[in-house]
Amino acid sequence: MSVDGLSTFTEFGAETGAGVRTEGRPGIDAGIDAVAEARALIAGLLAEPWGQVSASPYETGRVVSLAPWLAGHAERVEYLLATQRPDGGWSPSGEHTLVPTLSAVEALLAELGRDTSSSRGLLVKAVGRGLEAIRNWHFRAAWLPDTPAVELIVASLLALIDEEGPEPSPGMGGAKLAIVRARLASGAAIPQKLVHALEVAGPEATAVSGILPTPMPGGMAAVGASPGASAAWLAAPPEPGPGAGAGERAACRAGDEAAVRRYLEAVVASSGGPVPCTLPITVFERGWTLSWLRRAGVPVDAPPELVASLRDGLGPGGIATGPGLPADADTTSVTLYALALLGEPREPEGLWPFELETHFCTWRGEEGMSPTTNAHVLDAFGEYRRRCGGEPRHEAVVAKLGAWLRDRQEADGSWTDRWHVSPYYATACCAIALREFGGGESAGAVGGAVDWVLGTQRGNGSWGLWEGTAEETAYALQTLLLAGAARDGRWREAVERGYRHLLAARDGETPSLWVDKDLYLPVAIVRAAVLGALHLARRALAITGDDSY
């Protein structure tokens, strides 16, 4: 495959940007211009520099509970009421509904304590349905979703709901939460990633923890790049105690409070009220968006300002998704890969701190492991070696990661991951990375992934875990189109059916499938994956030899 990921098609005679003849085949839309849409998408990244992320019922609930004074409060309450499911829960059904449902119920209970308006009846009804949904669940640790700080979040919310909800079982994180709060109260250092969920600490522990907001441009500051964590920090009382330096500490606290308020006000000003789990996501959004487009061969260039934002943040310790978050191998590797595809390859020095004996951790101290993070690390090292030659240690890492990813493949040919609920995302990341950089020994794993994708297409041409979605259909098509599948009749039929569905569904509603404290949708990244798949499919269908294209 060439450096822009195009040789899968050039061997069939296609050229970058070649026209696609689609007249004569019903349902194949000759009018779509994925390249023009992709270029507009890239321009939009600069217009919205913090990124585009869907609202989170969990995070919105925390801001409703902790910062009722913040502009947009009524809109946040209305959002929680409007997004409750018929069964009383929030977000998708299954294990990922627990955290947002607990948060929304606690927030609406807090609102009931403040509200005496005519909407009180709606609040009572929503709380009652939410509590009934909570009581119907069987709480056990094994049932918790693999999301950040989940045991701490669930234990803290159950304690806040108190008698209205079920008592947490010993395995639900109560003991762990007590340890974390005691550590915060002692002033001891905690993992930086935990700051992202500071709302679990409670006001007393937060007040004496010594945690400081991370400064941002424009006189703002955020706590863990999280509106909920930032609201929790503001809600904590000032650190008590007179003595030397008390006046200076009070002045610093006042300045930090003003900066955090400006951050929260900026977040809600951009959203109209409801808030996401993480903001800003500048580097994360730009790296993933450019990677999906460039890997698919979409001829887009990045403005110098955008490239500089990726380049300038990289260092020997990697790069973080947002202010106040720790550097992580996932964001670092995708940033390196995107820069390489843009013609600026850099030695992946920022990834070495995350290397373990058999694979790479997402961040130091991670509990668990991520195949997609390691697929992205393989992309970064593999692309660097392809462009710059590399060193023996780079070659060793590529071989190690290829073997580790092959060992993590499911028996059916797919992969699953902790940062995205859909196996189609994980399978695309892993299969494409192995196809490009995994060597001949990865052919069987890649072939198994392609067979799994072909075998799981839905009757309407889509792919999806819970239902067919444009996002997951895009990942499935990218697997078929970039993983070296044979161009037989079954392959052509699957690609054409998938392409037809994607054309029809690409502008429809897109569910939240990405994993943070709550499920979320990174809008531009998913749009880039869809546009990349459309571009690849149009070019592939144009070169099958069928004159009707």
Side-chain angles (χ1 to χ4, degrees):
M1 183 171 283
S2 76
V3 294
D4 290 322
L6 298 178
S7 70
T8 299
F9 302 110
T10 55
E11 62 189 78
F12 291 90
E15 297 178 356
T16 302
V20 180
R21 292 169 46 208
T22 62
E23 63 275 16
R25 291 297 284 268
I28 301 296
D29 180 8
I32 179 176
D33 190 342
V35 174
E37 291 190 29
R39 289 171 177 165
L41 179 65
I42 294 298
L45 299 182
L46 292 177
E48 298 190 54
W50 277 18
Q52 304 168 60
V53 197
S54 62
S56 159
Y58 167 79
E59 202 84 2
T60 299
R62 295 305 81 223
V63 174
V64 165
S65 184
L66 294 163
W69 48 266
L70 183 64
H73 178 76
E75 288 78 8
R76 283 185 287 281
V77 173
E78 182 179 350
Y79 166 78
L80 292 179
L81 292 172
T83 55
Q84 188 176 27
R85 297 199 318 264
D87 66 1
W90 275 263
S91 288
S93 58
E95 61 184 14
H96 288 92
T97 194
L98 175 60
V99 165
T101 298
L102 289 171
S103 180
V105 167
E106 193 283 327
L108 294 179
L109 279 169
E111 185 66 8
L112 270 174
R114 297 185 288 259
D115 189 278
T116 58
S117 68
S118 58
S119 65
R120 185 173 181 82
L122 294 176
L123 293 172
V124 170
K125 183 178 178 179
V127 167
R129 291 168 56 217
L131 288 172
E132 184 63 26
I134 293 171
R135 292 189 187 99
N136 288 336
W137 286 323
H138 299 289
F139 288 93
R140 57 185 185 275
W143 193 77
L144 293 179
D146 184 11
T147 56
V150 64
E151 290 183 345
L152 304 177
I153 287 172
V154 169
S156 65
L157 288 173
L158 286 172
L160 287 170
I161 293 172
D162 200 13
E163 307 137 1
E164 299 291 346
E167 288 295 325
S169 68
M172 291 302 292
K176 187 175 182 180
L177 178 62
I179 293 172
V180 168
R181 287 180 170 177
R183 187 173 181 86
L184 282 164
S186 73
I190 61 169
Q192 190 177 0
K193 182 67 177 177
L194 184 57
V195 178
H196 183 52
L198 185 64
E199 64 271 15
V200 306
E204 294 78 15
T206 300
V208 296
S209 65
I211 291 173
L212 296 176
T214 301
M216 298 169 55
M220 292 180 278
V223 177
S226 161
S230 298
W233 186 88
L234 273 180
E239 183 180 354
E248 183 178 350
R249 290 197 304 272
C252 288
R253 168 77 188 191
D256 287 340
E257 285 181 353
V260 174
R261 283 175 178 266
R262 281 192 287 270
Y263 161 74
L264 287 173
E265 289 163 355
V267 171
V268 300
S270 66
S271 68
V275 299
C277 280
T278 307
L279 205 71
I281 59 163
T282 306
V283 175
F284 167 61
E285 179 183 77
R286 294 175 178 186
W288 259 261
T289 298
L290 286 166
S291 293
W292 279 120
L293 293 174
R294 295 285 293 195
R295 180 169 231 162
V298 183
V300 293
D301 293 319
E305 179 185 344
L306 195 154
V307 179
S309 70
L310 298 178
R311 180 200 316 118
D312 296 347
L314 282 169
I319 194 169
T321 293
L325 293 173
D328 67 87
D330 210 16
T331 306
T332 301
S333 57
V334 174
T335 300
L336 287 164
Y337 182 65
L339 285 170
L341 294 184
L342 291 168
E344 292 195 21
R346 300 166 64 96
E347 203 284 325
E349 63 170 346
L351 289 172
W352 296 118
F354 304 98
E355 185 179 18
L356 304 177
E357 183 177 354
T358 59
H359 65 289
F360 283 64
C361 57
T362 304
W363 65 81
R364 290 182 288 277
E366 177 185 27
E367 296 179 3
M369 57 189 68
S370 167
T372 62
T373 292
N374 283 272
H376 295 144
V377 174
L378 177 57
D379 287 335
F381 277 100
E383 193 66 33
Y384 179 76
R385 286 182 66 236
R386 179 157 60 189
R387 292 172 181 263
C388 301
E391 305 169 9
R393 63 174 180 164
H394 299 143
E395 183 176 354
V397 163
V398 167
K400 177 172 78 173
L401 290 174
W404 189 85
L405 288 172
R406 292 191 296 271
D407 287 345
R408 295 299 174 284
Q409 188 174 25
E410 302 289 339
D412 62 6
S414 68
W415 279 267
T416 58
D417 194 74
R418 64 187 316 197
W419 301 121
H420 198 289
V421 298
S422 175
Y424 293 98
Y425 170 78
T427 300
C429 293
C430 295
I432 296 169
L434 287 174
R435 166 65 175 82
E436 290 196 60
F437 307 116
E441 56 268 43
S442 297
V446 173
V450 170
D451 288 341
W452 175 75
V453 170
L454 290 172
T456 55
Q457 189 172 26
R458 292 173 178 266
N460 64 356
S462 69
W463 284 269
L465 174 62
W466 297 317
E467 60 182 349
T469 68
E471 178 183 358
E472 292 167 282
T473 299
Y475 299 142
L477 284 172
Q478 298 236 15
T479 301
L480 296 179
L481 294 162
L482 289 177
R487 267 58 178 171
D488 58 15
R490 185 187 182 201
W491 178 92
R492 288 195 297 271
E493 180 184 0
V495 170
E496 181 174 330
R497 291 175 60 226
Y499 176 67
R500 289 176 185 272
H501 178 83
L502 197 54
L503 279 174
R506 67 193 182 99
D507 293 322
E509 185 176 351
T510 304
S512 297
L513 300 173
W514 294 65
V515 177
D516 193 359
K517 291 181 280 186
D518 195 358
L519 298 186
Y520 70 100
L521 169 68
V523 177
I525 293 172
V526 170
R527 186 67 175 174
V530 168
L531 292 174
L534 288 170
H535 180 74
L536 285 165
R538 283 173 63 82
R539 295 183 59 220
L541 293 171
I543 60 177
T544 58
D546 187 333
D547 288 338
S548 64
Y549 285 86

